[in-house]
Amino acid sequence: MRKNSIKNTRVNGEVMRELCNIIRGEIKDPRIHPMTSVVTVEVAPDLKTCKAYISVLGDQKAQEDTLKGLESAEGYIRSKLAKNINLRNTPEIRFILDQSIEYGVNMSRKIDEVNGRHME
């Protein structure tokens, strides 16, 4: 995989910041969990597509509902992105559930359990 250029890194950061603001403050869909955060964003170099990795603090149903809510609001989110960021193309956004934070918390808990048993 090729290293991101400075321009691409800057675009990723700008799109991520705007996505956070739009999801947090402008979408009123009740399916979207209030503890939803954008972990990272990968915009293709041609600015046509974008993968947005999101993390939802909640159970499996909350995660699925949030993903459905975001996918249904994708058109609105794209129009807001186009208005707020001056890009040649507004990327088509694909939302991907990122479970790395949840995985890290579970692993940390398991490590603490193992260390607790050996300490006694």
Side-chain angles (χ1 to χ4, degrees):
M1 191 160 112
R2 155 178 108 76
K3 189 176 159 222
N4 281 348
S5 67
I6 294 171
K7 177 186 170 218
N8 197 309
T9 304
R10 198 176 312 133
V11 168
N12 286 346
E14 191 66 29
V15 169
M16 182 174 157
R17 185 170 38 256
E18 282 303 320
L19 267 180
C20 287
N21 292 338
I22 293 168
I23 290 172
R24 200 172 293 129
E26 298 185 28
I27 297 179
K28 305 288 189 250
D29 193 329
R31 292 178 290 184
I32 297 174
H33 196 274
M35 294 297 285
T36 300
S37 60
V38 180
V39 178
T40 189
V41 170
E42 293 175 3
V43 180
D46 65 354
L47 304 176
K48 300 260 189 226
T49 60
C50 166
K51 292 179 187 174
Y53 295 90
I54 60 160
S55 175
V56 180
L57 192 66
D59 60 353
Q60 187 72 31
K61 179 160 177 24
Q63 293 174 350
E64 290 169 3
D65 288 348
T66 298
L67 212 52
K68 287 177 187 167
L70 288 172
E71 286 168 357
S72 72
E74 197 247 345
Y76 174 78
I77 294 171
R78 276 185 77 186
S79 70
K80 282 294 190 183
L81 267 181
K83 198 178 293 182
N84 296 341
I85 301 177
N86 186 18
L87 292 175
R88 186 178 46 223
N89 297 319
T90 304
E92 187 178 308
I93 305 165
R94 207 169 98 226
F95 293 101
I96 300 168
L97 197 59
D98 183 20
Q99 297 175 321
S100 60
I101 296 172
E102 186 178 338
Y103 177 79
V105 168
N106 286 338
M107 289 307 287
S108 180
R109 189 177 303 127
K110 288 178 181 178
I111 290 170
D112 289 344
E113 285 176 12
V114 169
N115 285 339
R117 287 189 196 135
H118 289 284
M119 297 288 237
E120 294 173 357

